Amino acid sequence: MNDLAAKIAQLEALRATIDGAAAESLDDAIRALRAQQATQRMEAGEGGLLINPTQTVVHGDQHNYAAPLDPSIPRQERALIDYLSALQGECGPLQLMRIDASESRHRRSMRLEQVYIGLHTTTQVELTEDEAAQQPRAARRSPSERQTRPLTALEAVARGKPPRLMLLGAPGSGKSTFVNHLVLCLAGAALTERGLGDPQVDGDWLDRLDRWRPGALLPVRVILRDFAAFPPLAESKHGSLALLLDFLRQSLGPNAEALDRLRAELTNGHAILLLDGLDEVVGETVLARLVESIADAARTYARAPVVVTCRVLDYQANPLRQIRGFVVETLAPLTDEQIDHFVGAWYDELAASGREMLGNAEALRGAIASRTELRSLAELPLLLTMMAVVHAGKGRLPDARALLYDECIELLLLRWRQDPGQPDMLERLDLPQFRASDLLALMARLGFAAHEAAERDPEQAVRPADLRREQVRSLLEEAFTPYSAGDPLRRDELVSLVLHAIAMRNGLLLKQSGEQGESYAFPHRTFQEFLAGYHLKGQRDYRRLCLERSPKAHWHEALALMVGYQVLADRELEKPLDLVEKLLARSRTEQALAGELLVLIGRERAANYDAALVGKDGLWPRARTTLLRLAATGRAPEAPATLRVRAGLALGLLCYGSVEALCRADTRIPLPDRRLPLAVVGVIDPGSAAWRQALDAYWCPIAPGPFWYGDDTQKSARLQQVTLPYAYKVARYPVTNADFARFVAAGGYAERRWWTENGWAYIQPGGTRYYEGESERIELPRLWSDARYNNPAQPVVGVSWYEAAAYCAWLTEHGHRQGWLPAAEEIRLPTSLEWERAARHTDRRRYPWGTDEPTPERANYDKTDIDTTSPVGCFPAGVAECGAHDLLGNIWEWTTTLWEEIELPIPRKEFTQSETPAIRGNAYHSEMERMFCGARLGFNPGNGVDYRGFRVVCSPRSSG
């Protein structure tokens, strides 16, 4: 049997070096030898699976179940069964662990369905009566208060008539894994319906799809980068369904007879079309044709669900990807509960598959819980999976994204080199001067080439699908030429060895075959991006190469990973700082990138390297000024809302660092204007002229007198006039995380005098809480450590009414003590009428900016496609007449008015848990139909969800 294995290995090594008819003959010989090997194993009692013409494989894995096929089954049905079986074989094994499939010490490869966790979108949906009844709550909610939960990604697929979903996500957010898991389960359900599943192994596949209502649809999966490389698509003047079907027919290969059945089921709505990776299609011409094909398919198959996945930034950057008729949903970061579930399932599956582990589930959970930076990384499914791989293999975790990729790639390369039963690949290369670092550099060269290929030359007829075999071979020949001493045979031997290793064991670059021959793809684009950046950093003409690529959005992630590695692993600062200097003088997009790279470099590192960088005229203040200008005054099309938000987020981190650092900062100057986001940068001493100027800039004065108010959600609603007899000032911006951090640093949650009676009881251990299970003492806002919301320049969210009121009491006390707040004035939450007067001005306008309807340039709401809170002040076109920003969209804001007394002008000082203060303004996920000056809701005062924050007013004490 060992001789047979050796023969197979020899033929596979030879097969990796040839193409054409000779390769096909070798494939036949290898298959025959493998069948002989399987027979020998069966006869020797080693288990395994012997396949004969009356059997089909339901899973492509060691725990496959072979079910007998009735010879009378029609050929089309047999082709469909083989197609479904092949899908399960492709989607079932975990991609990151495929390199382990040939390791005999493992009982089986790791399975996707055993570790998969259902993903949420950023959309909130109202609870049904049954769901609400299953969620006991300590406090009564007002009838006006909607109880919500996240919409799941599976639910999003079935929404709409017909269902058309554009599923967006950040790099590594789980888009492709979601598609693969859905395909795996639907294929399993279809096979089980045909009596071809193993219930003891598979169970009920549809039960694995939580809240899935469409039933056992037949899955039709298309990898869009492969479709983009389909020659007829490039040669056609227009895209069409016919081209997509031709591509599917070619992709099905020997199972092409199943296509007619799949087309019929798509027509009658019994199949689902899943189109994965629109972001990986680059080049205007081929993208336009591909989108036309998708649109044609969506029109033709009007009864079938159609899902397209794409990265958020790629979707926002190119209108061609914004396909008409598709509902847009964005994958949400993982919650603590999801992370905890995955970690347990991962280690359970590791143990079940027979793998050795240096780490364990509790240690990984503890590391994520105790280290804020790891908790942030763990919110992305890919990074969480990589963390689990590294932790299980090494028993520890790095604390930065670039270093995490490096650790995971190092681990994958190590496993690749150490093929069981074979010497280490570095030994087999027999090159004393070729080390592990050279192997990483070699893979980085391939990653760079693959990322370069992602943007097709406009003159080129066909965009290559990742890397063609001849490209890989050419790059390897170039790399090994210096080691072969002019001997082409020796060079070819080295190249063949690496090609064979890539084909058989490399988890970073996966070999695939098609009509155009062999090609190689990275299992996830983020690996490719890290390696592309790793290659760039070592090039002699580093700066020129980076600046040639920085205008292109798909290079930004690679450049960020490159700089992160340079700073943290290489301890290199000169090159990254020089690159930032050049980027700041270029386009708006590159300026935002420059800010993000400076955040990675870090102010302290830069100051230690050269103090002048953070001095008056240094790089740091110049970057802040540039980002401030971009975020606060930019306009589309050069600086659309999404780009302004990028700049604002970078600015927040450059000005403040983290909110944790702010909580440890000096609190002598408690006013938010100390470093007002997007308005005042730097520390200002109270009493100085600059301080007074900043204070005046922070407040927007409101004159006494009459104004119109009312709920004008309906255009027919009648407004009423009321008079506020006193002047007051409203904050220009909502209270930010940076502002609230100073309250936390001052002991805000420990000082009884700043809290109302009900508020103090609310934060105590065992206090009456809105959320079941929250029994510990409250010491921070609920979402304080959530990376999605905790940028210093974002408005603070996750705060209850009690926390907002305590902040106001603290700020009032310090203002009186320091003398910048007159004794006759106080800082508090606005009444509902005060809020509406600031938003509506004195006329009947429906929006703070006037009568024109909301657009993504005026406010952050569902059509802006940001899907989280934006840094304050990023929508200058939506400023109110009084000068206040973000009064519509971004966050709902607490008021001091009882919901049932919405017209009462007197501010309430306290609310019980059974009362409902009004909130105003709408949030980032709100529909345009709710975006009016008069829109309002009532909420429990202890309810601090992700879209609840506040702004303050300064008013005479006599008014309250």
Side-chain angles (χ1 to χ4, degrees), residues 197 801 897 949:
W801 185 92
T897 302

Side-chain angles (χ1 to χ4, degrees), residues 210-375:
D210 187 37
R211 302 180 189 273
W212 176 255
R213 299 188 182 280
L217 302 178
L218 286 178
V220 181
R221 185 186 64 154
V222 176
I223 307 301
L224 289 177
R225 72 180 178 208
D226 295 338
F227 182 33
F230 186 48
L233 181 68
E235 295 162 3
S236 176
K237 293 183 179 179
H238 300 284
S240 66
L241 172 60
L243 284 167
L244 179 59
L245 293 175
D246 286 344
F247 170 73
L248 281 171
R249 183 175 290 105
Q250 174 190 289
S251 302
L252 287 168
N255 302 321
E257 288 183 89
L259 182 60
D260 288 342
R261 177 67 176 278
L262 294 173
R263 291 175 60 187
E265 300 295 8
L266 284 168
T267 300
N268 62 31
H270 296 158
I272 179 172
L273 183 58
L274 296 150
L275 304 142
D276 189 28
L278 186 60
D279 52 284
E280 297 191 56
V281 181
V282 182
E284 297 295 299
T285 302
V286 70
L287 177 59
R289 293 167 186 165
L290 184 141
V291 168
E292 287 171 348
S293 301
I294 294 174
D296 194 12
R299 285 191 298 269
T300 303
Y301 301 129
R303 300 174 64 184
V306 180
V307 179
V308 181
T309 70
C310 187
R311 284 190 180 187
V312 174
L313 288 180
D314 297 86
Y315 178 82
Q316 294 170 343
N318 193 331
L320 278 177
R321 295 191 173 95
Q322 299 162 18
I323 308 175
R324 181 177 299 177
F326 279 70
V327 174
V328 177
E329 297 289 353
T330 304
L331 290 175
L334 297 181
T335 64
D336 289 335
E337 182 181 4
Q338 289 173 309
I339 293 169
D340 183 76
H341 177 77
F342 172 83
V343 170
W346 177 268
Y347 271 99
D348 287 346
E349 180 65 0
L350 275 174
S353 63
R355 283 164 172 75
E356 298 175 1
M357 301 173 286
L358 292 180
N360 58 67
E362 288 310 309
L364 179 54
R365 286 188 180 113
I368 293 172
S370 63
R371 293 164 58 181
T372 303
E373 69 281 3
L374 291 183
R375 173 60 182 80

